[in-house]
Structures are given as structure tokens and as C-alpha cells.
Amino acid sequence: MAAFVFFRYAQTPELPQWAVSSADLATLSVYMGVSFGSLHWMSNLIADFSAINRLPYLFSVIFKGLFLLLGATTLAYITQFLNMWAIENHMATLRQMLTAHVLYTPSFQALLVYLVVVRISLAFIEQVSLLVGPRVLINIGMGKYHKPRYEQRLFLYLDMVSSTTHAETLGDYRFSRLIQDSFSLLTETVTRNEAEIYRYIGDAVLIHWPLDEGIVQDRCINIYFEFSQQLNWQRQYFEEHYGFVPKFKAAAHCGQVVAAVVGVNKQEISFFSDVLNTLARLQDQCNPLGQRMLLSGNLVNRLENQSSHYQLHDLGQIQLKGKQHTTQVFGVSPKGR
């Protein structure tokens, strides 16, 4: 909006009738910026917390563009109404500020069309970022991983307990809806702990951080227990629709990986390392060891204050499947439980 005001008036001595000096144009840019910024925010809010969220992406993109257009039209009619009210009450100053000089000029009408096009474009980019992840989209666009590079990463692997039994009981369609409902609850805690979804693998999900970020304030542990709490809070919903509340097991491990962009027509950032193989083997030990969540000794040694909010249980050196050397393994439980 500030750019519109600048290009509309900066190159000409012409000013709005109510403006005493060019400094008053700040009022116009703030007014328009707040108005259209609020419309942008409201369109996102409605789309994210309504049935639109479950519709195809095209509907969401079109809705956001139409919402901005209808909102701007409504704003123009409200302004016209206030202008007539100012005329009737002989309020010359207000009348000058609300004249069609600003809202009904060809340049402003062109701006509305421009804003709708930009809004639709932004909505499309937002939907693409949901598919591949915002950080992945930015990194691919900047070419960060077009050449393989070494990084220190922390991975968390979440997997549904007894998924095969649930799939046979519910059938493919209802089981897929169960996965959708479960992982939709994961979104908030992933965002809150500044993590990123690496990949969905059927009834499992792989989450990751740069190592230094994942160990901050026990983020890699928080996600699992917060997610479990979210599932428990929705107990009534899951029992009504599926007859049970899904449970998950988890494992976390860290180490050096090689990150690189793979693919041509469909690109993604992939990680190559024995860390992921070790993580999968570690997660397989949850049931034999009777634990909900397992951590590798390598990760525990890096945690801040040795996980002050959780109780760590040293389970000793475990021989993981396919590994020549043993791995130190820790169980996790919230303190006070």
C-alpha cells in the first residue's frame, strides 16, 4: 500500500484534497495497508479453520482471491456511505478525506485487480508450501542443496502402534481417514517446536531439525508427548468414529547426514546417512523394551541439562538389527509420572 501511494503521488504535484503536505500520505498508506492486510489475514483464518480446509486446493485459492475482492468492494461502499453522512452533517474535512478521488480513480481500480491477482498467486504459493514444506520450498528456490552438503540433523520417527490390526479392522478408507485425523493434530505441536516434516510414510511420520535447534528446550521430546496429549484430548471423537484412540511410539536420533535435491520433474530434499537406518532400527525396539519413546545415547549426550523436564532411563547397550556395534539406548517419561 505504501508503494501504491508512492507511485501514485510521488511523481506529481497532485495530492489528495485533504492532504496538506506529502507527509499526510502516510495516513493514506496506513489506512489502506491495515484494511487490505486485515482482509488478507481474515481470508487465511477462515480458510484454515473452516470446511474449506478439506476442499481441493483450487477452492481455497479462489476463495482467498474472491474474499479480498468482495472485502474491497464492501470497503468502497462503506466509504461511500460515510461520505454521504459527512455531506448531510456538513463535515467538510471528513468529506474531503472520503472523496472518490482516492477510492474510485482508475489507478485505484487497477490496484484492486492487481491485489486480487497477487492474493491468488500468494494463496497458490501457500498451498505449494503446504505440500513440500515452507523451508524446503525456499531452499529449493535458492538452490541451497543442488550440490550435496554435510549437515548435523536430529530426526524424530513417529509410528502408529498396531497399525496393521487397525487397518484390517477399519478397512482402507476409514484407516486413511484415521491417519488424516491423527496427523492433523500433529501440525500445531510441530510448528510450536519449530520442527519440519521430512516425510509421511503410511502410518508413520519423520520429523527433523538442524541439530542445534532440535535439542533446545527438549523440542525433540516435547513433540511426542504433546502429540499424545492432543490425541487423548480428542478421545471422544476418535472413539465415536473409530472405536479407539490411536497410540504412537517414537524414537529420536541425531548425527551427520548428506542433504541434496533429487529429482527433475518432482524435486525434494533428501537426506542420506546411516542415521536414518539406525533411527528405524531404534524405533523397532520400542515394543521389545516396553517403552513409548526411545533416545539414542548420542542424542542424550547433546540434550540441554540432560532433559530437565523428563525422566531418562538408561536401558544399556542394545544390539540393533543389522548393526555390528551396540547402541546405548534411553527410555523417556515425563517427570512426576
Side-chain angles (χ1 to χ4, degrees), residues 132-199:
V132 301
R135 292 184 183 180
V136 173
L137 185 63
I138 293 174
N139 288 331
I140 289 178
M142 295 180 64
K144 183 177 180 181
Y145 295 105
H146 277 68
K147 291 184 178 180
R149 54 186 295 169
Y150 287 100
E151 292 185 345
Q152 292 291 327
R153 288 274 164 173
L154 193 163
F155 292 90
L156 172 66
Y157 188 22
L158 290 171
D159 187 26
M160 182 179 290
V161 176
S162 303
S163 58
T164 302
T165 302
H166 295 328
E168 291 176 352
T169 303
L170 297 174
D172 293 339
Y173 180 81
R174 291 184 64 200
F175 182 71
S176 65
R177 291 303 301 267
L178 171 65
I179 297 301
Q180 284 184 320
D181 290 337
S182 298
F183 287 155
S184 66
L185 298 177
L186 186 61
T187 304
E188 182 179 350
T189 185
V190 166
T191 302
R192 183 164 53 249
N193 288 283
E194 299 185 16
E196 187 172 354
I197 302 294
Y198 172 42
R199 188 170 291 165

Side-chain angles (χ1 to χ4, degrees), residues 258-305:
V258 175
V261 171
V262 296
V264 179
N265 293 331
K266 181 185 184 301
Q267 294 186 337
E268 68 173 24
I269 297 174
S270 293
F271 298 103
F272 304 91
S273 172
D274 187 58
V275 171
L276 295 174
N277 184 42
T278 301
L279 177 66
R281 300 291 183 262
L282 181 62
Q283 190 270 338
D284 288 339
Q285 293 297 313
C286 285
N287 288 342
L289 296 175
Q291 298 291 321
R292 300 169 60 192
M293 182 178 191
L294 295 176
L295 306 179
S296 67
N298 188 30
L299 173 57
V300 169
N301 293 334
R302 296 172 179 267
L303 289 176
E304 295 183 347
N305 301 320

Side-chain angles (χ1 to χ4, degrees), residues 201-247:
I201 313 168
D203 59 293
V205 59
L206 198 55
I207 302 169
H208 70 108
W209 300 258
L211 179 55
D212 292 339
E213 296 180 14
I215 62 177
V216 173
Q217 298 178 350
D218 299 328
R219 286 172 177 168
C220 58
I221 306 176
N222 292 339
I223 282 190
Y224 173 71
F225 289 100
E226 290 176 6
F227 178 46
S228 299
Q229 188 177 52
Q230 290 279 356
L231 292 170
N232 190 54
W233 285 344
Q234 298 296 324
R235 173 177 296 275
Q236 183 177 355
Y237 172 83
F238 282 105
E239 289 180 345
E240 288 179 356
H241 288 78
Y242 306 106
F244 64 93
V245 179
K247 295 182 179 180

